[in-house]
Amino acid sequence: MIIDAHSHVHDPVADHLRLLDDAGVDRAVLFPTRPHPERATDLEGLRREMSVLDRALDGRATGDDGYAAAWRELDDALAAHPDRFIGFGSVRLNLSDDEIAAAVERDIVGRGLHGIGELTPPPGGAARIEPVLTAAHDHGDLPVVVHGFAPTTAEDLRTLAAMAARHPSVPLVVSQLGGLNWMTAVELARETPNIYLELSTAHLIFAVRLAVQELPERTLFGSDAPYGDPVVARTTVERVTGPGEVRELVLGGTLLRLLDRT
């Protein structure tokens, strides 16, 4: 089974299904999202959507800021296409530890979702996810996915690795191969057995090749659609792997093992 480990709700969802079909992808992990760059028809429209993303990534999002709508969109997509989408849900990181634990129980476990993410702590704020890791452990070691590209810093990646080491049974997935800090991400993952690297938006083909070579059982094919394209992401993985076990693990086998734990 080919599984895209990283995608966001599209508007309309039918466009996402066509992308998956084009790529020969069976299923996709689906995260809620507030920005919708796929809605933009010109540069100004894209700037508006990306400003929503910028606020989410740097901690400036306030109030609801589209949070409830993003959950409704996720619920609708999962209900309409349970055979194609694997639901993950996010958690607000500005809550108390007890509130985060309650949110995981209510919004993740209560909805029957398979993991937590994509979490977006602000730069310098990666430590905020520690209570999420605790809650994930309390509910059967749910996989936790954290944004890895900018504005995530190399120091944030080191903080994530230190927390992962304190919660060794919880799979911690760093998205986008750690962005420009991909070499640091690979080094930290080599030293931390419960860190997995998702490969979307990698800017260098040899970064993907090296990550898979170093971590053949802990690298995950993902597209980050609509920011990336499943066809391109799958082609990248297949370009750096030969037919056989490693390619099958990266394209879905490893993720399936993580999901089977939940």
Side-chain angles (χ1 to χ4, degrees):
M1 181 177 290
I2 309 298
I3 307 175
D4 183 342
H6 187 135
S7 71
H8 300 272
V9 177
H10 285 46
D11 180 21
V13 174
D15 287 353
H16 192 183
L17 295 175
R18 281 192 288 271
L19 291 175
L20 296 177
D21 290 342
D22 288 346
V25 172
D26 299 297
R27 305 189 72 186
V29 169
L30 194 63
F31 303 128
T33 183
R34 285 168 279 181
H36 279 285
E38 74 281 5
R39 290 174 178 164
T41 58
D42 56 25
L43 183 59
E44 290 309 309
L46 182 60
R47 285 189 185 279
R48 286 193 296 272
E49 294 296 338
M50 295 304 285
S51 71
V52 178
L53 177 65
D54 290 342
R55 289 196 302 274
L57 293 179
D58 68 11
R60 286 183 291 126
T62 58
D64 175 74
D65 203 22
Y67 199 77
W71 272 107
R72 287 194 298 272
E73 291 172 350
L74 177 68
D75 289 339
D76 290 347
L78 295 176
H81 305 283
D83 58 327
R84 301 302 301 274
F85 295 130
I86 301 165
F88 276 47
S90 191
V91 177
R92 292 183 185 273
L93 298 177
N94 60 350
L95 304 175
S96 70
D97 291 6
D98 288 344
E99 290 170 326
I100 285 175
V104 169
E105 183 169 2
R106 179 187 64 247
D107 297 331
I108 309 300
V109 179
R111 276 183 161 93
L113 302 181
H114 296 272
I116 303 170
E118 178 188 15
L119 301 179
T120 55
R128 294 187 187 186
I129 77 158
E130 185 133 32
V132 180
L133 297 176
T134 299
H137 171 69
D138 291 342
H139 291 283
D141 294 323
L142 294 167
V144 177
V145 181
V146 182
H147 180 83
F149 207 87
T152 301
T153 66
E155 189 57 35
D156 287 325
L157 295 177
R158 295 186 185 97
T159 299
L160 291 173
M163 289 187 294
R166 292 195 290 271
H167 302 270
S169 62
V170 177
L172 177 60
V173 181
V174 176
S175 291
Q176 298 108 3
L177 193 49
L180 299 180
N181 301 302
W182 65 270
M183 286 189 282
T184 298
V186 172
E187 290 170 346
L188 292 168
R190 280 193 319 197
E191 299 165 0
T192 315
N194 57 319
I195 288 183
Y196 294 74
L197 299 180
E198 183 269 313
L199 301 169
S200 66
T201 68
H203 62 295
L204 297 171
I205 189 71
F206 62 75
V208 177
R209 180 181 293 112
L210 187 142
V212 172
Q213 176 183 311
E214 294 284 338
L215 300 159
E217 296 184 348
R218 287 189 285 128
T219 40
L220 307 172
F221 152 64
S223 69
D224 202 3
Y227 302 93
D229 186 289
V231 171
V232 175
R234 179 175 179 178
T235 300
T236 299
V237 170
E238 292 180 340
R239 184 66 175 165
V240 303
T241 61
E245 182 181 9
V246 170
R247 177 183 287 179
E248 292 172 2
L249 287 172
V250 176
L251 288 178
T254 295
L255 180 60
L256 200 56
R257 290 177 185 176
L258 293 181
L259 297 173
D260 283 345
R261 295 152 44 103
T262 62

